[in-house]
Amino acid sequence: MMKTDFKKFRLLRVVAVVLVAAACAGFVSCMMLIGGAIGAGFGILSMVGIGFAGAMCEYAAYDCLICPYCGQRAVKSHREFPADKENMARFKAIAKGDPFECVHCRRMINPSR
């Protein structure tokens, strides 16, 4: 069973954003510097490789959001559509370190500790 670790969640989210930005920058730079079909090929390879690492960091970050009281995920996946405002508010509260309410047991969780 995974454990609650909000600091690790914040760190992995930042790493995921940096990796995805690097993947986009790698694609653009390959297209600008090399150009043509070869540049597109290298750009797509860099985007897939680095982007996959970023996606894995995002999934690992989501695994850190276990409620310490009920043992289930404290938030719903932010990939669900349509995104509800309460769940997005939970993610923002976790990022800021503010208390938020678990989706399942409705107990307040303090992510700053």
Side-chain angles (χ1 to χ4, degrees), residues 15-27 50:
V15 169
V17 168
V18 168
L19 285 173
V20 169
C24 293
F27 177 75
I50 301 171

Short mmCIF file of all heavy atoms in Angstrom, two decimals, residues 15-27 50:
data_model
loop_
_atom_site.label_atom_id
_atom_site.label_comp_id
_atom_site.label_asym_id
_atom_site.label_seq_id
_atom_site.Cartn_x
_atom_site.Cartn_y
_atom_site.Cartn_z
N VAL A 15 8.63 18.27 -11.46
CA VAL A 15 9.49 17.52 -12.38
C VAL A 15 8.72 17.16 -13.65
O VAL A 15 9.25 17.25 -14.76
CB VAL A 15 10.05 16.26 -11.69
CG1 VAL A 15 10.72 15.32 -12.68
CG2 VAL A 15 11.02 16.65 -10.59
N ALA A 16 7.46 16.76 -13.51
CA ALA A 16 6.64 16.41 -14.67
C ALA A 16 6.44 17.61 -15.59
O ALA A 16 6.55 17.49 -16.82
CB ALA A 16 5.30 15.85 -14.22
N VAL A 17 6.17 18.76 -15.02
CA VAL A 17 5.98 19.97 -15.83
C VAL A 17 7.27 20.34 -16.55
O VAL A 17 7.25 20.69 -17.73
CB VAL A 17 5.46 21.13 -14.96
CG1 VAL A 17 5.51 22.45 -15.70
CG2 VAL A 17 4.04 20.85 -14.49
N VAL A 18 8.40 20.24 -15.85
CA VAL A 18 9.68 20.56 -16.47
C VAL A 18 9.99 19.59 -17.62
O VAL A 18 10.45 20.00 -18.69
CB VAL A 18 10.81 20.55 -15.41
CG1 VAL A 18 12.18 20.57 -16.06
CG2 VAL A 18 10.64 21.72 -14.47
N LEU A 19 9.71 18.30 -17.41
CA LEU A 19 9.97 17.33 -18.47
C LEU A 19 9.08 17.54 -19.69
O LEU A 19 9.54 17.41 -20.83
CB LEU A 19 9.81 15.90 -17.92
CG LEU A 19 10.93 15.41 -17.03
CD1 LEU A 19 10.56 14.06 -16.42
CD2 LEU A 19 12.23 15.31 -17.80
N VAL A 20 7.83 17.86 -19.46
CA VAL A 20 6.93 18.10 -20.59
C VAL A 20 7.35 19.37 -21.34
O VAL A 20 7.33 19.41 -22.58
CB VAL A 20 5.46 18.17 -20.12
CG1 VAL A 20 4.55 18.67 -21.21
CG2 VAL A 20 5.01 16.80 -19.65
N ALA A 21 7.76 20.39 -20.60
CA ALA A 21 8.26 21.61 -21.26
C ALA A 21 9.53 21.33 -22.04
O ALA A 21 9.72 21.83 -23.16
CB ALA A 21 8.51 22.70 -20.23
N ALA A 22 10.40 20.48 -21.49
CA ALA A 22 11.62 20.10 -22.20
C ALA A 22 11.31 19.28 -23.46
O ALA A 22 11.98 19.42 -24.49
CB ALA A 22 12.55 19.31 -21.29
N ALA A 23 10.29 18.45 -23.38
CA ALA A 23 9.89 17.68 -24.56
C ALA A 23 9.39 18.60 -25.67
O ALA A 23 9.75 18.43 -26.84
CB ALA A 23 8.79 16.67 -24.18
N CYS A 24 8.59 19.58 -25.31
CA CYS A 24 8.09 20.54 -26.31
C CYS A 24 9.24 21.37 -26.88
O CYS A 24 9.31 21.61 -28.09
CB CYS A 24 7.04 21.45 -25.69
SG CYS A 24 5.54 20.58 -25.25
N ALA A 25 10.16 21.79 -26.00
CA ALA A 25 11.30 22.57 -26.47
C ALA A 25 12.21 21.73 -27.37
O ALA A 25 12.75 22.24 -28.36
CB ALA A 25 12.09 23.10 -25.28
N GLY A 26 12.37 20.46 -27.06
CA GLY A 26 13.16 19.56 -27.90
C GLY A 26 12.55 19.40 -29.28
O GLY A 26 13.26 19.39 -30.29
N PHE A 27 11.24 19.29 -29.35
CA PHE A 27 10.57 19.16 -30.64
C PHE A 27 10.75 20.42 -31.47
O PHE A 27 11.11 20.36 -32.65
CB PHE A 27 9.08 18.88 -30.42
CG PHE A 27 8.30 18.79 -31.69
CD1 PHE A 27 8.40 17.68 -32.50
CD2 PHE A 27 7.49 19.84 -32.10
CE1 PHE A 27 7.70 17.59 -33.68
CE2 PHE A 27 6.78 19.77 -33.27
CZ PHE A 27 6.88 18.64 -34.07
N ILE A 50 10.95 12.05 -23.83
CA ILE A 50 10.94 12.91 -22.65
C ILE A 50 9.51 13.09 -22.13
O ILE A 50 9.27 13.13 -20.93
CB ILE A 50 11.58 14.27 -22.97
CG1 ILE A 50 13.03 14.07 -23.42
CG2 ILE A 50 11.54 15.20 -21.77
CD1 ILE A 50 13.68 15.33 -23.97
#
